[in-house]
Amino acid sequence: MKIKPARRQIRLAICSNAGGSGKTTLATHLAYAIGKRGYKVTLIELDHNGSLCIFGGLPPTPPEKSLAAVLKKDFQGNYPLIPLWTEHVSTVTAIQGGGALEESYAELYAYDRRHYTLQDRLEDYPLDSDLIIMDTPASLEPMGLLALAACTHVLAPIKPEWKDSGSLASLVDWYYTKVRELRLKPRPQILGFVPSRVDLQEGTHRDILGLDKKGNQRQDIALEQTLSYQIQALDIHCFPQIRESSYYLRASGAGLPLHVYRPSCPFTQDFEPIVKQTIELITA
């Protein structure tokens, strides 16, 4: 398949200040879908929980072959890249996180340019990738700050639950505050928010999104009260929803993206608006 050539590297930070919002699901499925188009993708896991082991079908990694090694002062550009889903795609690699990152936290705070460590690595030793996806933990500091300083764009999954939607303003405030404090120039752009893990059989989800069980706009809920409207009122793009499915659990159990585990599943199409927008950035 002929693809439009990449013209610049995009570094996409997947950020959320709420656990269980679907960050790793989003990161891995975007990595596969864009890699399958022929673009070179590197997925960097900044989470010490090491969820990529499950989603990528990988064994736990020792510290010297994890992101912890990249963050060491003596790093010299030998990225511990590991190919993902090699039977299905040839352009996707990953740098695993995991428990070794817990020791990195204390080390980072001893560095003069602590929050710019990942940015410095990527500038000093460029990765041959069209897209770098950074999967961050729910605790935004310190790893969220490393991703923010290193990225060109931010994408935020948000689950339509009251506690998650209530954190929307605090995440946006964190973004603007840290961009200012870190004096990031050029400023990373917010690619958008995306409602994720959406279950339209769940009444709360329907109320927050203003949808009925078929995904149609409800007339008994004012548009101004919906999550998507509140996001766009902040002058931030809101992508269409990514629906919840039990197939994700089964696919992750097999260490595969849903696109491979069940390619006929219509839920794989939920990622397409983000895939399209990201490729437009890469090829612009």
Side-chain angles (χ1 to χ4, degrees), residues 81-122:
L81 295 168
I82 184 168
L84 289 178
W85 313 302
T86 53
E87 293 183 4
H88 309 282
V89 66
S90 62
T91 56
V92 181
T93 57
I95 301 175
Q96 290 178 256
L101 290 179
E102 292 186 347
E103 294 185 8
S104 300
Y105 297 163
E107 294 177 356
L108 285 170
Y109 281 107
Y111 297 170
D112 292 335
R113 287 178 55 83
R114 59 184 71 88
H115 301 313
Y116 306 93
T117 302
L118 183 56
Q119 177 199 48
D120 291 345
R121 299 294 183 270
L122 295 175

Short mmCIF file of all heavy atoms in Angstrom, two decimals, residues 81-122:
data_model
loop_
_atom_site.label_atom_id
_atom_site.label_comp_id
_atom_site.label_asym_id
_atom_site.label_seq_id
_atom_site.Cartn_x
_atom_site.Cartn_y
_atom_site.Cartn_z
N LEU A 81 15.08 -0.95 22.10
CA LEU A 81 13.86 -1.11 21.30
C LEU A 81 13.51 -2.58 21.13
O LEU A 81 14.39 -3.42 20.89
CB LEU A 81 14.05 -0.47 19.92
CG LEU A 81 14.25 1.04 19.91
CD1 LEU A 81 14.73 1.49 18.54
CD2 LEU A 81 12.97 1.75 20.29
N ILE A 82 12.23 -2.89 21.24
CA ILE A 82 11.75 -4.24 21.01
C ILE A 82 10.60 -4.19 20.03
O ILE A 82 9.69 -3.37 20.16
CB ILE A 82 11.33 -4.91 22.34
CG1 ILE A 82 10.91 -6.37 22.09
CG2 ILE A 82 10.22 -4.13 23.04
CD1 ILE A 82 10.76 -7.17 23.36
N PRO A 83 10.63 -5.02 18.99
CA PRO A 83 9.54 -5.01 17.99
C PRO A 83 8.24 -5.54 18.60
O PRO A 83 8.25 -6.43 19.45
CB PRO A 83 10.06 -5.95 16.90
CG PRO A 83 11.53 -6.08 17.14
CD PRO A 83 11.72 -5.93 18.61
N LEU A 84 7.14 -4.98 18.16
CA LEU A 84 5.82 -5.42 18.60
C LEU A 84 5.06 -6.07 17.46
O LEU A 84 5.11 -5.61 16.31
CB LEU A 84 5.00 -4.23 19.12
CG LEU A 84 5.41 -3.60 20.46
CD1 LEU A 84 4.51 -2.42 20.76
CD2 LEU A 84 5.35 -4.61 21.58
N TRP A 85 4.35 -7.16 17.78
CA TRP A 85 3.41 -7.82 16.86
C TRP A 85 4.06 -8.11 15.50
O TRP A 85 3.50 -7.81 14.44
CB TRP A 85 2.16 -6.96 16.68
CG TRP A 85 1.61 -6.47 17.98
CD1 TRP A 85 1.20 -7.20 19.05
CD2 TRP A 85 1.41 -5.09 18.37
NE1 TRP A 85 0.76 -6.39 20.07
CE2 TRP A 85 0.88 -5.08 19.67
CE3 TRP A 85 1.63 -3.87 17.72
CZ2 TRP A 85 0.57 -3.90 20.35
CZ3 TRP A 85 1.32 -2.70 18.40
CH2 TRP A 85 0.79 -2.72 19.70
N THR A 86 5.25 -8.71 15.54
CA THR A 86 6.07 -8.87 14.33
C THR A 86 5.41 -9.74 13.27
O THR A 86 5.77 -9.65 12.09
CB THR A 86 7.43 -9.46 14.69
OG1 THR A 86 7.24 -10.67 15.46
CG2 THR A 86 8.23 -8.47 15.52
N GLU A 87 4.47 -10.59 13.64
CA GLU A 87 3.80 -11.41 12.64
C GLU A 87 2.76 -10.63 11.85
O GLU A 87 2.25 -11.12 10.84
CB GLU A 87 3.13 -12.61 13.32
CG GLU A 87 4.10 -13.60 13.94
CD GLU A 87 3.39 -14.81 14.52
OE1 GLU A 87 2.15 -14.88 14.37
OE2 GLU A 87 4.05 -15.65 15.13
N HIS A 88 2.47 -9.41 12.32
CA HIS A 88 1.38 -8.65 11.71
C HIS A 88 1.80 -7.27 11.21
O HIS A 88 1.12 -6.69 10.37
CB HIS A 88 0.24 -8.48 12.73
CG HIS A 88 -0.17 -9.77 13.36
ND1 HIS A 88 -0.97 -10.69 12.72
CD2 HIS A 88 0.11 -10.30 14.58
CE1 HIS A 88 -1.18 -11.74 13.52
NE2 HIS A 88 -0.53 -11.52 14.64
N VAL A 89 2.90 -6.74 11.74
CA VAL A 89 3.35 -5.41 11.35
C VAL A 89 4.87 -5.35 11.55
O VAL A 89 5.40 -6.00 12.45
CB VAL A 89 2.63 -4.32 12.18
CG1 VAL A 89 3.01 -4.39 13.65
CG2 VAL A 89 2.89 -2.93 11.62
N SER A 90 5.54 -4.59 10.70
CA SER A 90 7.02 -4.56 10.75
C SER A 90 7.59 -3.20 11.15
O SER A 90 8.80 -3.03 11.17
CB SER A 90 7.59 -4.96 9.38
OG SER A 90 7.18 -4.04 8.37
N THR A 91 6.74 -2.25 11.48
CA THR A 91 7.20 -0.87 11.68
C THR A 91 6.95 -0.34 13.09
O THR A 91 7.08 0.86 13.32
CB THR A 91 6.53 0.07 10.67
OG1 THR A 91 5.10 -0.06 10.80
CG2 THR A 91 6.93 -0.28 9.25
N VAL A 92 6.59 -1.21 14.02
CA VAL A 92 6.26 -0.76 15.38
C VAL A 92 7.26 -1.33 16.38
O VAL A 92 7.48 -2.55 16.42
CB VAL A 92 4.83 -1.17 15.78
CG1 VAL A 92 4.51 -0.66 17.18
CG2 VAL A 92 3.81 -0.63 14.78
N THR A 93 7.86 -0.46 17.16
CA THR A 93 8.77 -0.86 18.23
C THR A 93 8.33 -0.22 19.54
O THR A 93 7.50 0.70 19.54
CB THR A 93 10.22 -0.45 17.92
OG1 THR A 93 10.27 0.98 17.71
CG2 THR A 93 10.75 -1.16 16.70
N ALA A 94 8.90 -0.71 20.63
CA ALA A 94 8.53 -0.18 21.94
C ALA A 94 9.75 -0.11 22.85
O ALA A 94 10.72 -0.86 22.69
CB ALA A 94 7.45 -1.05 22.58
N ILE A 95 9.68 0.81 23.80
CA ILE A 95 10.62 0.85 24.93
C ILE A 95 9.77 0.65 26.17
O ILE A 95 8.91 1.47 26.48
CB ILE A 95 11.37 2.19 25.00
CG1 ILE A 95 12.16 2.44 23.72
CG2 ILE A 95 12.31 2.21 26.21
CD1 ILE A 95 12.82 3.80 23.66
N GLN A 96 9.99 -0.46 26.85
CA GLN A 96 9.16 -0.81 27.99
C GLN A 96 9.52 0.01 29.23
O GLN A 96 10.65 0.45 29.41
CB GLN A 96 9.30 -2.30 28.32
CG GLN A 96 8.67 -3.21 27.29
CD GLN A 96 8.87 -4.67 27.63
OE1 GLN A 96 9.69 -5.35 27.03
NE2 GLN A 96 8.11 -5.16 28.60
N GLY A 97 8.50 0.19 30.08
CA GLY A 97 8.71 0.84 31.37
C GLY A 97 8.85 -0.22 32.45
O GLY A 97 9.79 -0.99 32.47
N GLY A 98 7.88 -0.26 33.36
CA GLY A 98 7.92 -1.29 34.39
C GLY A 98 8.51 -0.81 35.70
O GLY A 98 8.81 0.38 35.88
N GLY A 99 8.69 -1.75 36.61
CA GLY A 99 9.08 -1.43 37.98
C GLY A 99 10.39 -0.69 38.12
O GLY A 99 10.59 0.04 39.10
N ALA A 100 11.29 -0.85 37.16
CA ALA A 100 12.59 -0.17 37.25
C ALA A 100 12.44 1.35 37.24
O ALA A 100 13.33 2.06 37.72
CB ALA A 100 13.48 -0.61 36.10
N LEU A 101 11.32 1.84 36.73
CA LEU A 101 11.12 3.29 36.68
C LEU A 101 10.95 3.90 38.07
O LEU A 101 11.15 5.10 38.25
CB LEU A 101 9.90 3.63 35.82
CG LEU A 101 10.04 3.39 34.32
CD1 LEU A 101 8.75 3.75 33.60
CD2 LEU A 101 11.20 4.19 33.75
N GLU A 102 10.56 3.11 39.05
CA GLU A 102 10.40 3.64 40.40
C GLU A 102 11.72 4.20 40.92
O GLU A 102 11.74 5.22 41.62
CB GLU A 102 9.85 2.57 41.33
CG GLU A 102 8.40 2.17 41.00
CD GLU A 102 7.82 1.21 42.01
OE1 GLU A 102 8.59 0.66 42.83
OE2 GLU A 102 6.59 1.02 41.99
N GLU A 103 12.83 3.54 40.59
CA GLU A 103 14.13 4.06 41.00
C GLU A 103 14.50 5.30 40.20
O GLU A 103 15.27 6.15 40.68
CB GLU A 103 15.20 2.99 40.82
CG GLU A 103 15.04 1.78 41.73
CD GLU A 103 16.19 0.80 41.59
OE1 GLU A 103 17.17 1.14 40.90
OE2 GLU A 103 16.11 -0.30 42.17
N SER A 104 13.97 5.42 39.00
CA SER A 104 14.29 6.58 38.17
C SER A 104 13.72 7.87 38.75
O SER A 104 14.27 8.95 38.52
CB SER A 104 13.73 6.38 36.75
OG SER A 104 14.28 5.25 36.13
N TYR A 105 12.60 7.76 39.50
CA TYR A 105 11.97 8.95 40.05
C TYR A 105 12.96 9.75 40.89
O TYR A 105 13.13 10.96 40.72
CB TYR A 105 10.75 8.58 40.90
CG TYR A 105 9.63 7.90 40.14
CD1 TYR A 105 8.64 7.21 40.82
CD2 TYR A 105 9.56 7.94 38.76
CE1 TYR A 105 7.61 6.57 40.14
CE2 TYR A 105 8.55 7.30 38.07
CZ TYR A 105 7.57 6.61 38.76
OH TYR A 105 6.55 5.99 38.09
N ALA A 106 13.61 9.07 41.84
CA ALA A 106 14.55 9.75 42.72
C ALA A 106 15.76 10.28 41.94
O ALA A 106 16.25 11.39 42.20
CB ALA A 106 15.01 8.80 43.83
N GLU A 107 16.22 9.50 40.96
CA GLU A 107 17.37 9.93 40.17
C GLU A 107 17.05 11.19 39.38
O GLU A 107 17.87 12.10 39.27
CB GLU A 107 17.80 8.81 39.23
CG GLU A 107 18.34 7.58 39.95
CD GLU A 107 18.68 6.46 38.98
OE1 GLU A 107 18.40 6.63 37.77
OE2 GLU A 107 19.21 5.43 39.43
N LEU A 108 15.86 11.25 38.83
CA LEU A 108 15.48 12.40 38.01
C LEU A 108 15.54 13.70 38.79
O LEU A 108 15.98 14.74 38.27
CB LEU A 108 14.07 12.20 37.44
CG LEU A 108 13.93 11.20 36.30
CD1 LEU A 108 12.46 10.93 36.02
CD2 LEU A 108 14.62 11.71 35.05
N TYR A 109 15.11 13.67 40.03
CA TYR A 109 15.08 14.89 40.82
C TYR A 109 16.48 15.37 41.21
O TYR A 109 16.64 16.47 41.71
CB TYR A 109 14.21 14.69 42.05
CG TYR A 109 12.73 14.81 41.72
CD1 TYR A 109 11.91 13.69 41.69
CD2 TYR A 109 12.17 16.04 41.40
CE1 TYR A 109 10.57 13.78 41.35
CE2 TYR A 109 10.83 16.15 41.06
CZ TYR A 109 10.03 15.02 41.05
OH TYR A 109 8.70 15.12 40.70
N ALA A 110 17.48 14.54 40.94
CA ALA A 110 18.86 14.96 41.18
C ALA A 110 19.48 15.60 39.95
O ALA A 110 20.57 16.18 40.03
CB ALA A 110 19.70 13.76 41.63
N TYR A 111 18.80 15.53 38.81
CA TYR A 111 19.31 16.09 37.57
C TYR A 111 18.99 17.59 37.50
O TYR A 111 17.92 18.03 37.92
CB TYR A 111 18.68 15.42 36.35
CG TYR A 111 18.96 13.94 36.20
CD1 TYR A 111 18.28 13.19 35.25
CD2 TYR A 111 19.91 13.29 36.98
CE1 TYR A 111 18.52 11.83 35.08
CE2 TYR A 111 20.15 11.93 36.84
CZ TYR A 111 19.45 11.21 35.88
OH TYR A 111 19.69 9.87 35.72
N ASP A 112 19.89 18.35 36.91
CA ASP A 112 19.64 19.78 36.73
C ASP A 112 18.47 20.02 35.77
O ASP A 112 17.68 20.94 35.96
CB ASP A 112 20.90 20.47 36.19
CG ASP A 112 22.02 20.51 37.22
OD1 ASP A 112 21.71 20.46 38.43
OD2 ASP A 112 23.19 20.58 36.82
N ARG A 113 18.37 19.19 34.74
CA ARG A 113 17.31 19.33 33.74
C ARG A 113 16.34 18.16 33.86
O ARG A 113 15.96 17.52 32.88
CB ARG A 113 17.92 19.38 32.32
CG ARG A 113 18.62 20.70 32.04
CD ARG A 113 19.26 20.69 30.65
NE ARG A 113 18.33 20.38 29.59
CZ ARG A 113 17.51 21.26 29.00
NH1 ARG A 113 17.50 22.53 29.42
NH2 ARG A 113 16.70 20.89 28.04
N ARG A 114 15.91 17.92 35.08
CA ARG A 114 15.13 16.72 35.38
C ARG A 114 13.92 16.53 34.47
O ARG A 114 13.69 15.45 33.94
CB ARG A 114 14.69 16.73 36.84
CG ARG A 114 13.84 17.93 37.26
CD ARG A 114 13.54 17.89 38.77
NE ARG A 114 14.69 18.17 39.55
CZ ARG A 114 15.08 19.39 39.93
NH1 ARG A 114 14.38 20.45 39.53
NH2 ARG A 114 16.15 19.57 40.65
N HIS A 115 13.13 17.59 34.29
CA HIS A 115 11.91 17.46 33.52
C HIS A 115 12.15 17.39 32.01
O HIS A 115 11.25 17.01 31.26
CB HIS A 115 10.96 18.62 33.83
CG HIS A 115 10.58 18.71 35.27
ND1 HIS A 115 10.18 17.63 36.00
CD2 HIS A 115 10.56 19.78 36.13
CE1 HIS A 115 9.91 18.00 37.25
NE2 HIS A 115 10.14 19.30 37.34
N TYR A 116 13.36 17.72 31.59
CA TYR A 116 13.69 17.72 30.17
C TYR A 116 14.51 16.50 29.77
O TYR A 116 15.02 16.43 28.66
CB TYR A 116 14.48 18.99 29.81
CG TYR A 116 13.79 20.26 30.23
CD1 TYR A 116 14.08 20.84 31.47
CD2 TYR A 116 12.85 20.89 29.42
CE1 TYR A 116 13.44 22.00 31.88
CE2 TYR A 116 12.22 22.06 29.82
CZ TYR A 116 12.52 22.60 31.06
OH TYR A 116 11.89 23.75 31.46
N THR A 117 14.63 15.53 30.69
CA THR A 117 15.51 14.39 30.45
C THR A 117 15.14 13.62 29.20
O THR A 117 15.98 13.31 28.35
CB THR A 117 15.51 13.44 31.66
OG1 THR A 117 15.93 14.18 32.83
CG2 THR A 117 16.47 12.28 31.44
N LEU A 118 13.86 13.28 29.05
CA LEU A 118 13.44 12.53 27.87
C LEU A 118 13.57 13.38 26.61
O LEU A 118 14.00 12.89 25.56
CB LEU A 118 12.01 12.04 28.04
CG LEU A 118 11.45 11.17 26.91
CD1 LEU A 118 12.34 9.96 26.65
CD2 LEU A 118 10.02 10.74 27.22
N GLN A 119 13.21 14.64 26.71
CA GLN A 119 13.38 15.55 25.57
C GLN A 119 14.84 15.59 25.14
O GLN A 119 15.16 15.51 23.94
CB GLN A 119 12.91 16.95 25.94
CG GLN A 119 13.12 17.98 24.82
CD GLN A 119 13.10 19.41 25.34
OE1 GLN A 119 13.76 19.73 26.33
NE2 GLN A 119 12.33 20.25 24.67
N ASP A 120 15.74 15.70 26.10
CA ASP A 120 17.17 15.76 25.78
C ASP A 120 17.63 14.48 25.10
O ASP A 120 18.42 14.53 24.15
CB ASP A 120 17.98 16.00 27.06
CG ASP A 120 17.78 17.40 27.63
OD1 ASP A 120 17.24 18.26 26.92
OD2 ASP A 120 18.15 17.61 28.80
N ARG A 121 17.15 13.34 25.58
CA ARG A 121 17.54 12.08 24.95
C ARG A 121 17.09 12.02 23.50
O ARG A 121 17.84 11.63 22.61
CB ARG A 121 16.95 10.89 25.72
CG ARG A 121 17.40 10.78 27.16
CD ARG A 121 18.87 10.47 27.29
NE ARG A 121 19.23 10.29 28.68
CZ ARG A 121 19.64 11.27 29.50
NH1 ARG A 121 19.75 12.51 29.02
NH2 ARG A 121 19.95 11.02 30.76
N LEU A 122 15.86 12.42 23.26
CA LEU A 122 15.31 12.34 21.90
C LEU A 122 15.94 13.37 20.97
O LEU A 122 15.99 13.16 19.75
CB LEU A 122 13.79 12.54 21.95
CG LEU A 122 13.00 11.45 22.68
CD1 LEU A 122 11.53 11.82 22.78
CD2 LEU A 122 13.17 10.10 22.00
#
